[in-house]
Amino acid sequence: MNAHYGLLVVAVCAVVLGLFIVAKPDAMWRFTKWRNRAGGFATGERTPTWEWSNRIVGGIVMLTGLGAAFGFWYFDQIVEEERARQERSAPSVDPAYPEAVNDR
């Protein structure tokens, strides 16, 4: 069940990060300049293309978080359905008693 809570952490972090990316473009531009400078790349000016791509990335991160939240919400139902499916596909003869099969 630890995966259940891990999924919740991913969902919350992704939604918060996505909101931060969209709400704080100035901070993201400073981060972009720092990352480029650390990688040895020259950073130009902040263009409308960068603004547009920043909003798209923020939206994708938020959608990822919402998808993880959806998975968290239905995790128990998915686990129960999988257990029921495995029980339905279980063999009807107990493999611990092969003589029951051989007696027929």
Side-chain angles (χ1 to χ4, degrees):
M1 281 311 217
N2 292 334
H4 191 227
Y5 297 112
L7 197 56
L8 177 62
V9 170
V10 168
V12 170
C13 289
V15 169
V16 169
L17 179 62
L19 287 172
F20 180 80
I21 290 170
V22 171
K24 299 288 189 177
D26 294 334
M28 291 307 299
W29 178 248
R30 286 192 305 271
F31 175 71
T32 300
K33 285 187 351 184
W34 172 80
R35 188 182 62 204
N36 288 347
R37 191 172 48 246
F41 300 108
T43 302
E45 61 185 44
R46 191 169 162 176
T47 62
T49 303
W50 182 88
E51 296 282 344
W52 180 75
S53 65
N54 186 56
R55 284 193 295 269
I56 288 178
V57 167
I60 290 171
V61 171
M62 280 191 284
L63 285 175
T64 301
L66 292 174
F70 179 78
F72 172 76
W73 187 264
Y74 286 103
F75 188 83
D76 291 330
Q77 180 182 355
I78 292 167
V79 168
E80 288 303 316
E81 288 174 359
E82 180 63 21
R83 285 184 185 148
R85 187 190 66 76
Q86 287 177 351
E87 287 175 5
R88 284 193 307 269
S89 65
S92 60
V93 177
D94 189 1
Y97 299 102
E99 61 275 356
V101 175
N102 295 332
D103 289 341
R104 290 185 188 174

